[in-house]
């Protein structure tokens, strides 16, 4: 995607500096655009944990690079193959613990380890781990592009019905290109429609407490010159009641085999409002976000709880101010579950499916 007319991906390998990966620091956006260098598996862990890189597909790719760093470190630290593999396994578990809710880190690390598990020569193994992480990144970008083309067909139909009036989309959190490698998931159909000149307007829910909607989605839409308005999370239901929303598009961090969707906290309330107002609610996600091993989202997905400070305070350093009553307990649930019954469809790179066990398994040949 373009930032100030220059093409960027969210994360990339720089072959000139060994071993190294660069990424956009998302904690500084939209006020400052800065890239930073990552040199070890521990630095990958911190970048994921502190959300310098965030969004399910992106933390998947970052974790795959984490395995590459772990392979490099294992070779430098240990002579014996067994010790090297113990080290890599330890780092795998450590990276997995950085953010437990999204399935993408596990998926991407398993894919990387699978690609190298039978290679005996460690230099060859390191090369293959890096190539695999880069391939996962390239595939994610392409999958998101296809999700855009697929979702575009739905937006085109709404546009036809509205006879040239802007298609009004509501979204939650950031499921744009910053959450992925390029294009985004929920944002990708919006970008595809904008590039065809289809008139659009996007309602952006701010997404308390970290405000990924107000900061990141709004930044992306601004860079693309797409008309948008930031609203509080609580205003989503109201704009829907007033007939100001044609479709809701969100991303996903983990989708179960029967189509329950785990996504950023607040998605469930947004889906309930859409359901009550008969507004189509679509989830956009690559197949790598589907966890075929589980069914019941509410019982089987570990929901990340982040630091209470994200809720209690606003601002940083000397400008930090308290927002909540001192002494009152706080809990910071980072994700919630939207049951399949509230979802009209899941838009993937393999097509659109109803959130239903049989339809999902048929589409993906499971
Ligand atoms: O906590 P974050 O910012 O990593 O959460 C991001 C989201 O919930 C996105 O909506 C999700 O990862 C889908 S992304 C394309």
């Amino acid at each position: 995607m373009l930032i100030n007319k220059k093409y960027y991906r969210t994360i990339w390998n720089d072959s000139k500096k060994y071993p190294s990966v660069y990424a956009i620091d998302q904690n500084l956006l939209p006020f400052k655009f800065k890239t930073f260098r990552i040199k070890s598996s521990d630095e990958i862990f911190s970048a994921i944990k502190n959300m310098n890189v965030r969004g399910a597909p992106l933390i998947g790719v970052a974790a795959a690079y984490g395995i590459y760093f772990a392979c490099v470190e294992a070779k430098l630290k240990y002579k014996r193959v067994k010790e090297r593999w113990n080290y890599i396994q330890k780092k795998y578990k450590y990276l997995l613990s950085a953010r437990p809710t999204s399935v993408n880190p596990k998926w991407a690390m398993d894919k990387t380890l699978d690609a190298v598990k039978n290679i005996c020569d460690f230099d060859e193994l390191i090369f293959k781990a890096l190539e695999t992480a880069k391939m996962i990144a390239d595939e994610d970008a392409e999958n998101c592009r296809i999700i855009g083309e697929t979702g575009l067909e739905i937006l085109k139909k709404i546009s036809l019905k509205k006879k040239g009036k802007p298609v009004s989309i509501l979204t939650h959190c950031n499921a744009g290109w910053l959450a992925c490698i390029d294009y985004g998931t929920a944002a990708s159909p919006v970008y595809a429609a904008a590039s065809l000149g289809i008139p659009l307007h996007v309602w952006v829910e701010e997404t308390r407490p970290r405000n990924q909607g107000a900061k990141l989605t709004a930044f992306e839409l601004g860079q693309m010159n797409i008309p948008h308005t930031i609203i509080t999370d609580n205003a989503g239901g109201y704009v829907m009641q007033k007939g100001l929303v044609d479709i809701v598009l969100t991303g996903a961090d983990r989708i179960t085999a029967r189509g329950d969707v785990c996504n950023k906290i607040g998605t469930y309330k947004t889906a309930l409002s859409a359901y009550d107002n008969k507004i189509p609610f679509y989830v956009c996600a690559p197949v790598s976000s589907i966890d075929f091993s589980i069914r019941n989202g509410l019982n089987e997905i570990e929901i990340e709880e982040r630091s209470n400070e994200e809720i209690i305070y606003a601002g940083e350093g000397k400008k930090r101010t308290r927002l909540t009553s001192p002494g009152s307990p706080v809990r910071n649930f980072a994700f919630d579950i939207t049951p399949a019954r509230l979802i009209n469809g899941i838009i993937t790179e393999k097509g659109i499916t109803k959130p239903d066990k049989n339809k999902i398994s048929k589409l993906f040949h499971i």
Side-chain angles (χ1 to χ4, degrees), residues 51 54-57 59 99 172-176 179-180 184-186 212 250-253 263-264 284 304 306 334-335:
M51 295 177 64
R54 30 91 25 224
I59 60 174
R99 296 203 67 197
H172 188 72
C173 195
N174 173 261
C180 306
T185 55
Q212 293 96 322
T250 74
D253 286 79
N263 193 48
K264 180 52 55 189
C284 307
E304 176 186 6
R306 295 190 59 82
F335 297 94

Side-chain angles (χ1 to χ4, degrees), residues 158-215:
I158 298 173
S159 182
L160 268 178
K161 269 197 203 149
K162 292 197 78 177
K163 300 194 172 92
K165 283 204 197 127
V167 178
S168 185
I169 299 137
L170 183 139
T171 191
H172 188 72
C173 195
N174 173 261
W177 71 274
L178 285 165
C180 306
I181 300 302
D182 203 349
Y183 298 98
T185 55
S188 190
V190 176
Y191 296 145
S195 72
L196 290 184
I198 294 174
L200 305 165
H201 172 267
V202 184
W203 295 104
V204 179
E205 290 187 334
E206 63 177 349
T207 321
R208 275 279 288 156
R210 292 186 66 95
N211 297 318
Q212 293 96 322
K215 288 179 171 172

